[in-house]
């Protein structure tokens, strides 16, 4: 009994294995349905254990057909729905009902799975139907893919982005004269206005925005997966790239970046161009750090698992946007050079240099990266060339109209405020000027061999300021009055020293440089006293008066006092109109004058004044007390010409 049971069990197991092997053989032959049935009859005649295989295969075939019919029906139903004039063209399954969307995608999955089945592939009729169903489904999914992307694209919140940016403004020439386009106009500058250079803004490292609603990304990935598996990756990539490329174009418009050809950009006047350059700088930051990084992240999410496709998608999406920005950068790089453009060009260079690092990490398109590097190089050359032109302009500026009151020349204000701002770009300028480091090095060795730093930018700054000083020396020769010549140089050199000392320029040029210039200011102060007050002090000398203080010639004394009064009044009339803007220098000059003049006048009056005070009309000659003179000296160098209206002193 036990033996019979065991034998029956073995027979059943053997029968299952034989039938499975027979099924596999038939399927692997990939023959038509009729041929398969004939082969199964032949197999069953060899072994009675295969007598049921025909029914099993038929049952399996019928099950496959039922599944195919059900999936095909779902796909055709939606195609019929979309072609119904009473149904909206946009009534697609994924958009309207998650349940219906899942049903539709399952139907697509079912057909894709069945298509690879050998038994189906050998059935031409079913294969034709399957291919037609897949084609319909892909067309439908492509439309759905497009619609979901369009409907779920997140508008760019430019205000929010700019609000998250840290503003960094640098004061430029506040209350010290505006930058003029041409150096020749400096002589005509007669008003002062504040202006500034805005370096732009910095983006935080963690700034991140969703470009498509997060819920829609999952649906898009579901569709993309099926399109790619069906062999429709080209259509998927094209649809994705077109829509996202259009979105990026719209984002650039929102950021204020226009589509301009290189020729159009070069025709824009400076003020309008300056605004476009500022917007370009911000757009580069936002585009690379926010938009393109967001696009990269979006591609990674939707095309996860398809590395080559997501690279193509991102490259095709980003190319137009990046090239539009690069075209403007190239237009600026090859445009006309003028000194006021340098800061913007340097800003553009810096922001593109930073962006290039991110671009190279995101973009595998060698052409695009090469174009970006080319524009960066062009901006660097433009910055160098503009700086050289500025240097040449400082050397060659030859306005012949002297400042009437000896005040600071507009050229001095312009240059020093310009270079003070340039210090903020030291790192960039050192990099750009490094190749020219040996140029004119010999000129540094003569006067400033103690230069405390050897950076290329520091050397060029020293040469530039030296050129300015030489130019000012030439302009001082326009003054016929030797004293005003000294006042002019004092004012300008002190202004240069203060701009250097009170900024990062001091670190570049060093303390020795500052001390030398302060020494020059003191030398010019001494020269001023000699040129202006020697004649006045000569009137208070004892020589030529004759006799002692008791019997000096009254005629000579009267002449001396009269000459002193005339000299002092003339100096007062002229030098109250001269301008020494720095209050400390102004006060030091007054003290120096007072120390020279007041003691000499007091001593002269003490020795000889009594001989005239007893006579008639003494007030005509002894018009001022030492205290009067001290008070009048306080009016000097204020820039407002005054005249002494003397009331004769009453003799008690």
């Amino acid at each position: 009994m036990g033996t019979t049971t065991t034998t029956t069990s073995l027979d059943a197991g053997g029968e299952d294995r034989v039938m499975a092997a027979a099924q596999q053989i038939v399927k692997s032959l990939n023959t038509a349905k009729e041929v398969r049935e004939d082969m199964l009859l032949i197999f069953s005649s060899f072994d009675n254990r295969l007598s049921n295989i025909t029914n099993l295969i038929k049952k399996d075939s019928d099950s496959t057909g039922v599944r195919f019919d059900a999936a095909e029906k779902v796909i055709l139903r939606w195609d019929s729905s979309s072609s119904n004039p009473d149904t909206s063209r946009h009534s697609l399954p994924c958009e309207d009902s998650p349940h219906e969307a899942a049903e539709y995608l399952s139907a697509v999955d079912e057909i894709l799975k069945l298509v690879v089945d050998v038994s189906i592939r050998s059935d031409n009729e079913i294969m034709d139907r399957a291919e037609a169903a897949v084609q319909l489904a892909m067309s439908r999914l492509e439309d759905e893919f497009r619609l979901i992307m369009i409907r779920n694209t997140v508008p760019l919140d430019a205000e929010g982005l700019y609000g998250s940016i840290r503003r960094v403004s640098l004061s430029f020439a506040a209350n010290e004269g505006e930058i003029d386009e041409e150096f020749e106009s400096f002589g005509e500058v007669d008003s002062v206005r504040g202006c500034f250079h805005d370096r732009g803004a910095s983006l935080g490292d963690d700034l991140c925005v969703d470009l498509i609603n997060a819920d829609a990304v999952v649906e898009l990935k579901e569709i993309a997966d099926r399109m790619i598996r069906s062999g429709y990756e080209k259509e998927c990539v094209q649809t994705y790239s077109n829509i996202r490329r259009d979105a990026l174009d719209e984002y650039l418009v929102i950021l204020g970046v226009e589509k301009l050809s290189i020729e159009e950009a070069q025709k824009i006047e400076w003020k309008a161009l300056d605004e476009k350059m500022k917007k370009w700088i911000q757009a580069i930051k936002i585009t690379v750090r926010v938009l393109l990084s967001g696009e990269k992240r979006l591609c990674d999410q939707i095309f996860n698992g398809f590395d080559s496709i997501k690279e193509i998608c991102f490259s095709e999406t980003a190319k137009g946007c990046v090239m539009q920005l690069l075209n403007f950068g190239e237009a600026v790089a090859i445009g006309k050079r003028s000194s006021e453009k340098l800061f913007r060009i340097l800003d553009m260079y810096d922001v593109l240099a930073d962006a290039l690092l991110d671009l190279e990490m995101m973009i595998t398109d060698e052409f695009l990266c090469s174009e970006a590097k080319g524009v960066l190089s062009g901006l660097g050359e433009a910055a160098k060339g503009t700086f050289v032109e500025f240097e040449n302009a400082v050397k060659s500026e030859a306005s012949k109209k002297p400042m009437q009151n000896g005040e600071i020349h507009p050229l001095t204000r312009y240059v020093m405020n310009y270079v003070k701002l340039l210090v903020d770009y030291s790192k960039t300028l050192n990099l750009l000027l490094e190749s020219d480091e040996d140029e004119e090095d010999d000129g540094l060795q003569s006067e400033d061999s103690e230069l405390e730093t050897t950076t290329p930018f520091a050397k060029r700054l020293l040469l530039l300021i030296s050129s300015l000083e030489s130019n000012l020396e030439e302009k001082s020769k326009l003054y016929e009055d030797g004293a005003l010549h000294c006042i002019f140089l004092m004012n300008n050199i002190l202004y240069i020293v203060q701009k250097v000392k009170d900024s990062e320029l001091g670190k570049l040029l060093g303390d020795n440089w500052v001390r030398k210039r302060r020494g020059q200011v003191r030398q010019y102060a001494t020269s001023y006293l000699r040129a202006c007050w020697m004649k006045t002090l000569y009137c208070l000398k004892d020589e030529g008066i004759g006799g002692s203080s008791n019997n000096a010639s009254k005629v000579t004394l009267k002449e001396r006092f009269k000459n002193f009064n005339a000299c002092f009044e003339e100096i007062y009339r002229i030098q109250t109109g001269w301008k020494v803007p720095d209050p400390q220098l102004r006060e030091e000059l007054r003290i120096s004058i007072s120390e020279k003049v007041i003691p000499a006048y007091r001593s002269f009056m003490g020795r000889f004044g009594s001989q005239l005070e007893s006579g008639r009309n003494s007030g005509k000659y002894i018009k001022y007390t030492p205290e009067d003179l001290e008070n009048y000296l306080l009016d000097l160098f204020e820039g407002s010409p005054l005249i002494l209206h003397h009331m004769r002193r009453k003799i008690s």
Side-chain angles (χ1 to χ4, degrees), residues 487 490 521-530 533 537 584-600 630 633-634 636-637:
I487 292 292
M490 268 191 289
V521 173
R522 289 192 293 271
Q523 289 173 6
Y524 286 123
T526 301
S527 298
Y528 158 78
L529 290 172
R530 188 181 301 113
W533 292 96
L537 290 172
Q584 184 176 344
L585 178 60
R586 189 167 61 242
E587 182 63 21
E588 288 175 357
L589 282 172
R590 290 168 179 168
I591 291 172
S592 297
I593 296 167
S594 180
E595 289 175 347
K596 291 282 185 183
V597 176
I598 302 304
E630 281 191 295
L633 289 177
L634 297 177
L636 300 183
F637 314 124

Side-chain angles (χ1 to χ4, degrees), residues 456-496:
F457 178 51
K459 291 180 180 180
R460 296 291 280 271
L461 271 185
L462 182 62
L463 289 170
L464 178 63
I465 295 176
S466 296
S467 295
L468 172 62
E469 290 172 327
S470 298
N471 199 320
L472 291 171
E473 181 66 38
E474 288 301 311
K475 293 184 187 307
S476 71
K477 295 175 183 178
L478 298 172
Y479 296 102
E480 295 180 0
D481 189 324
L484 186 55
H485 161 96
C486 294
I487 292 292
F488 172 78
L489 288 174
M490 268 191 289
N491 280 332
N492 282 271
I493 292 174
L494 181 62
Y495 182 85
I496 293 171

Side-chain angles (χ1 to χ4, degrees), residues 295-436:
E295 292 291 349
K296 181 71 171 175
R297 187 168 59 254
L298 191 61
C299 281
D300 290 344
Q301 291 171 335
I302 294 175
F303 300 103
N304 184 34
F306 306 101
D307 291 346
S308 62
I309 291 176
K310 68 184 178 185
E311 291 295 338
I312 293 170
C313 270
F314 178 70
S315 180
E316 289 300 313
T317 299
K319 186 181 296 182
C321 166
V322 173
M323 286 305 300
Q324 182 180 340
L325 290 167
L326 292 180
N327 283 342
F328 182 81
E330 183 180 356
V332 171
I334 64 177
K336 182 181 177 182
R337 293 171 183 173
S338 54
S339 58
E340 71 272 12
K341 293 181 182 179
L342 180 55
F343 299 105
R344 291 283 175 239
I345 293 174
L346 286 169
D347 286 337
M348 291 176 69
Y349 179 91
D350 283 343
V351 77
L352 185 56
D354 290 341
L356 186 56
L357 297 174
D358 293 325
L359 276 176
E360 288 182 311
M361 291 178 65
M362 288 189 287
I363 296 177
T364 57
D365 187 329
E366 292 184 5
F367 170 78
L368 209 55
C369 291
S370 175
E371 287 292 298
K373 290 177 182 177
V375 172
L376 180 66
S377 176
L379 288 170
E381 289 300 316
K384 282 173 60 177
T386 304
F387 184 71
V388 169
E389 291 208 2
F390 177 68
E391 291 175 315
N392 293 335
V394 173
K395 291 178 186 177
S396 61
E397 197 284 314
S399 59
K400 299 297 183 183
K401 185 178 180 180
M403 302 298 290
Q404 291 184 351
N405 55 9
E407 204 182 343
I408 301 163
H409 198 283
L411 175 64
T412 309
R413 295 182 186 275
Y414 181 97
V415 172
M416 291 313 300
N417 285 293
Y418 196 96
V419 298
K420 185 179 176 181
L421 270 186
L422 278 180
V423 174
D424 200 45
Y425 300 88
S426 294
K427 183 178 179 181
T428 302
L429 286 167
N430 277 323
L431 178 67
L432 294 175
L433 297 172
E434 193 169 13
S435 59
D436 304 327

